[in-house]
Amino acid sequence: MLIVVLGWSIMASAQEPSKLQTPNSTFNHFFLQAICEREKGNHDAAFELLEHCIELNPEAAEAHYFIAQYYSSMKNQEKALASLERAYELSPENTTYNETLAQAYTSAQQYSKAIGILEQLVKRETDRDDVLGMLYELYLRNEQPDKAVSTLERIEALDGKNERLTMAKSELLTQLGNKKAAIAEMKSLSDQYPNDPYYRVMYADALLKNDQKQQALDIYQSVLKEEPDNVPALLSMISYYASEGQDEKAGEVSIKLLLNENLEAETRLEILRREAVNSLKTPGDSIRMLNLFHQVTDKFPDDTEVAMMFATYMQLKKMPKDSINALYERVLLTAPDHAYARLQLVADAWEREDMQRVISLCQAARQYNPDDMAFYYYQGFAYYREDNVDSALDAFQNGVSVINDQSNPDLASDFYEMMGELLHKKGMVREAFEAYDSCLVWKPDKISCLNNYAYYLSELGEQLERAEQMSYKTIKAEPQNATYLDTYAWILFKQQRYAEARIYIDQTLQNDPAPSAVLLEHAGDIYACCGDMQQALSYWQQALSKASDDSEVKDERKLTLIKKIEQKKYIKQ
């Protein structure tokens, strides 16, 4: 049994060094030995020694504490919690035991018990604002907002008032319906900084949340009179108009705010996102939203995130692709390493079958995104579609060079499989097989690779047993795939298992309504070797008829078919 400790990192000895709970020298010996084994990483031995320690002295809090960590790592939370409770019971004033048990109760969502432990702890250690912070979170989780407020007040008594505490208190008081107190909290903060408009706006926000709308509006307007571009006030004005149902005015303020150079980029994006979502819900609102996007992108031409959001909105509205692509092009002018924008352009070019455009985009990406395998992938396939085998192979080989342990297995296997196909096409058979082997390392069940690899091996008459095993996996995965059935039948034929081969070639023909010349020739060869020459001749004649109309079938193969028919016998290629 291998146990890996993943539990609490605080040791009891960190609070009370070497203070054991028993004078028993035997216990001390085994306990110290357990700790030594623990430190050396011998967790099985440490666990067994701790069990023995508890047998020697069930009242030893430290033994229960440490064994709890092992129970936790073993996913036995019930025993872990019981051991921590026992350690706490035996040594209730040990700070580490208190904190660890409270954490365990919190993880188990036993919030009331965790609160009880921490309240006792903070009574003893009255300056622990961190413990009060934990209590505040627990009271919120336990749906006790009144207790959370009083805990914030206790933190204030230790650390003094600050913006974070005051805002949290005001929010909670608003939830509790104590509007007067909620407003008073924010007013006190505003009075503390009378010349700072930020705190005046926060005070007005509290008024707005607590239905004192006119007072809130007066403060917003006074701030904007002093600072017309004050971002917090403009944001709050949007909320005010929305609460009053004045959507048109809210929109006007949104435009003013979005064009405000002082507005943080993240906030601008959030406002645009909200406006776009509302626009998508409102029929006929796209013209207003498009105008808004145009204004913002014209004002901030280098903001790539705004341009990308604009493009996404246009896609959702099914706008012309040329307009959408213009935005992606704009993004690349500012950020040529923006992989997503470039990939969108690549995908569009691929859809339009503009392979030269795909190649050009991917070539540039190799400069700006040299580790992004997708660009090598698209470029390699584009070259392949253009019948440029050497360039396609170069692209895939360059892509393979950036594969690492973190690479996507599906994509990595695709690269090696395509390399194998290209190398085989170039007559580099051994190199092709090495590529297939690499493909199967990344994805052992890559069906298309298993099929092609098996077929090429059978054509050479090599490793037929392995080829048969690989091919069998493909027909188990796709039992009606004619291509895979043909491969399996042909491998059986190569192994001189003619009767079995005929069963599978029959299944192949049943699943292929338009069999190729090669498949029909295979069928003829198999039937000939099974002794059915009449059926073999029929398949060979059909194969020759199809081969005569197929420019890709080599003349050598056509001549062999003619000889088979004339001599009425199987002739090996």
Side-chain angles (χ1 to χ4, degrees):
M1 175 184 66
L2 175 63
I3 304 173
V4 180
V5 177
L6 298 175
W8 309 276
S9 60
I10 303 172
M11 296 171 56
S13 57
Q15 291 291 328
E16 300 179 9
S18 303
K19 184 187 288 186
L20 305 182
Q21 300 295 315
T22 172
N24 187 300
S25 59
T26 303
F27 170 85
N28 291 352
H29 168 77
F30 283 108
F31 180 73
L32 290 173
Q33 189 177 346
I35 298 303
C36 288
E37 294 296 333
R38 180 181 186 274
E39 291 301 308
K40 290 189 288 186
N42 299 330
H43 299 299
D44 288 348
F47 179 77
E48 292 175 3
L49 286 165
L50 287 169
E51 284 186 315
H52 185 55
C53 287
I54 292 172
E55 290 174 1
L56 290 172
N57 183 6
E59 307 297 309
E62 62 272 22
H64 290 286
Y65 172 79
F66 281 108
I67 206 167
Q69 299 179 29
Y70 284 103
Y71 284 131
S72 179
S73 71
M74 295 159 64
K75 309 302 181 187
N76 190 337
Q77 300 306 329
E78 185 177 347
K79 280 195 171 184
L81 190 56
S83 296
L84 284 174
E85 288 173 331
R86 183 61 176 149
Y88 170 75
E89 178 187 342
L90 292 166
S91 185
E93 295 189 0
N94 184 297
T95 299
T96 299
Y97 300 168
N98 280 241
E99 292 178 351
T100 307
L101 180 57
Q103 290 171 9
Y105 280 142
T106 301
S107 297
Q109 298 185 2
Q110 298 183 32
Y111 302 131
S112 295
K113 289 185 176 181
I115 288 168
I117 297 290
L118 293 178
E119 285 289 8
Q120 290 298 318
L121 176 58
V122 84
K123 277 183 182 178
R124 296 194 306 273
E125 302 179 17
T126 56
D127 61 343
R128 293 289 301 274
D129 58 356
D130 59 326
V131 176
L132 288 171
M134 288 188 279
L135 278 168
Y136 166 69
E137 295 293 339
L138 285 167
Y139 281 127
L140 289 179
R141 293 190 192 187
N142 210 37
E143 298 180 356
Q144 293 176 274
D146 53 337
K147 293 284 190 181
V149 170
S150 63
T151 304
L152 289 174
E153 290 171 346
R154 292 156 73 185
I155 296 173
E156 281 183 338
L158 282 176
D159 300 338
K161 284 183 173 290
N162 62 52
E163 176 185 327
R164 181 181 61 82
L165 293 175
T166 301
M167 288 183 67
K169 279 178 66 180
S170 182
E171 288 286 343
L172 287 169
L173 290 165
T174 299
Q175 291 176 28
L176 289 166
N178 193 343
K179 298 180 180 181
K180 186 176 179 180
I183 292 169
E185 283 292 330
M186 298 310 297
K187 186 176 186 308
S188 67
L189 188 62
S190 177
D191 290 343
Q192 190 175 346
Y193 305 97
N195 298 319
D196 191 331
Y198 173 70
Y199 293 105
R200 288 161 60 196
V201 171
M202 289 174 62
Y203 170 41
D205 288 345
L207 289 166
L208 183 63
K209 288 176 186 175
N210 289 281
D211 302 323
Q212 307 255 347
K213 293 185 179 181
Q214 187 56 52
Q215 287 179 261
L217 179 61
D218 291 342
I219 295 174
Y220 296 145
Q221 289 177 334
S222 68
V223 170
L224 290 171
K225 185 176 181 180
E226 298 168 10
E227 298 181 13
D229 292 331
N230 185 284
V231 170
L234 289 170
L235 284 167
S236 295
M237 283 296 292
I238 294 172
S239 299
Y240 169 79
Y241 284 129
S243 71
E244 291 289 284
Q246 299 181 40
D247 294 338
E248 188 174 339
K249 285 191 174 181
E252 291 173 0
V253 178
S254 292
I255 293 173
K256 183 177 182 181
L257 189 58
L258 287 168
L259 300 178
N260 189 328
E261 294 181 353
N262 295 323
L263 184 68
E264 291 184 358
E266 190 174 327
T267 306
R268 181 176 294 106
L269 280 174
E270 184 55 41
I271 295 171
L272 274 172
R273 187 176 293 110
R274 184 177 62 197
E275 291 284 340
V277 169
N278 290 336
S279 172
L280 291 169
K281 294 177 181 176
T282 308
D285 190 48
S286 58
I287 294 176
R288 183 193 71 84
M289 194 65 219
L290 289 170
N291 288 333
L292 183 57
F293 268 122
H294 278 300
Q295 290 182 65
V296 177
T297 52
D298 288 346
K299 178 74 173 178
F300 304 101
D302 295 336
D303 193 324
T304 58
E305 295 306 310
V306 169
M308 292 298 294
M309 188 183 292
F310 191 3
T312 301
Y313 178 81
M314 292 180 75
Q315 283 181 323
L316 292 171
K317 298 298 289 187
K318 302 188 184 307
M319 305 293 287
K321 284 194 174 182
D322 287 348
S323 300
I324 299 171
N325 289 340
L327 284 166
Y328 292 134
E329 296 280 9
R330 181 174 183 167
V331 168
L332 292 181
L333 287 174
T334 303
D337 60 342
H338 201 296
Y340 182 80
R342 191 177 296 276
L343 278 172
Q344 294 301 305
L345 291 170
V346 168
D348 177 69
W350 185 272
E351 187 178 321
R352 290 185 287 103
E353 299 190 2
D354 186 350
M355 295 300 114
Q356 287 302 315
R357 172 71 169 151
V358 171
I359 291 167
S360 174
L361 284 164
C362 291
Q363 189 62 40
R366 289 169 63 169
Q367 176 183 351
Y368 296 108
N369 309 97
D371 296 329
D372 195 324
M373 293 172 62
F375 295 111
Y376 298 98
Y377 186 80
Y378 275 109
Q379 188 181 40
F381 270 106
Y383 276 126
Y384 185 72
R385 290 276 297 273
E386 295 283 284
D387 294 324
N388 189 338
V389 174
D390 289 336
S391 294
L393 182 59
D394 177 73
F396 283 109
Q397 286 174 329
N398 276 282
V400 163
S401 70
V402 302
I403 291 177
N404 55 49
D405 293 342
Q406 307 305 314
S407 296
N408 182 306
D410 290 331
L411 191 56
S413 64
D414 283 348
F415 267 80
Y416 281 112
E417 180 182 21
M418 196 60 200
M419 273 181 58
E421 290 299 300
L422 293 166
L423 287 164
H424 193 273
K425 189 178 282 285
K426 286 174 64 68
M428 302 170 68
V429 176
R430 299 303 160 195
E431 292 86 348
F433 289 172
E434 288 176 5
Y436 288 140
D437 284 330
S438 295
C439 170
L440 296 174
V441 167
W442 280 95
K443 197 170 184 184
D445 60 348
K446 183 81 169 175
I447 302 301
S448 55
C449 178
L450 288 168
N451 175 76
N452 292 349
Y453 196 1
Y455 184 73
Y456 293 145
L457 284 171
S458 72
E459 287 286 270
L460 292 175
E462 294 182 5
Q463 302 182 54
L464 291 177
E465 184 176 346
R466 183 188 180 198
E468 189 265 334
Q469 291 171 353
M470 290 194 291
S471 182
Y472 186 70
K473 289 180 182 178
T474 70
I475 63 169
K476 289 292 288 183
E478 297 185 24
Q480 295 181 325
N481 187 305
T483 300
Y484 300 163
L485 287 165
D486 176 46
T487 298
Y488 190 63
W490 191 242
I491 293 170
L492 293 173
F493 173 80
K494 287 284 190 172
Q495 292 178 311
Q496 299 182 12
R497 295 159 63 180
Y498 302 129
E500 293 175 77
R502 183 167 63 180
I503 293 171
Y504 284 98
I505 202 66
D506 286 345
Q507 290 183 34
T508 304
L509 292 167
Q510 289 170 12
N511 287 282
D512 192 343
S516 67
V518 173
L519 196 159
L520 289 165
E521 184 179 7
H522 284 172
D525 293 350
I526 291 169
Y527 267 86
C529 291
C530 285
D532 189 343
M533 188 54 64
Q534 184 176 354
Q535 187 62 55
L537 287 169
S538 173
Y539 284 133
W540 285 336
Q541 287 165 350
Q542 292 177 58
L544 181 59
S545 176
K546 287 212 170 188
S548 299
D549 299 328
D550 190 343
S551 60
E552 292 189 6
V553 178
K554 295 180 179 179
D555 291 339
E556 182 183 348
R557 191 168 206 123
K558 295 175 186 176
L559 290 172
T560 302
L561 272 168
I562 293 171
K563 287 180 181 179
K564 289 177 182 178
I565 295 168
E566 289 176 346
Q567 298 178 25
K568 297 182 181 181
K569 69 175 183 179
Y570 167 67
I571 299 172
K572 188 176 182 180
Q573 286 282 95

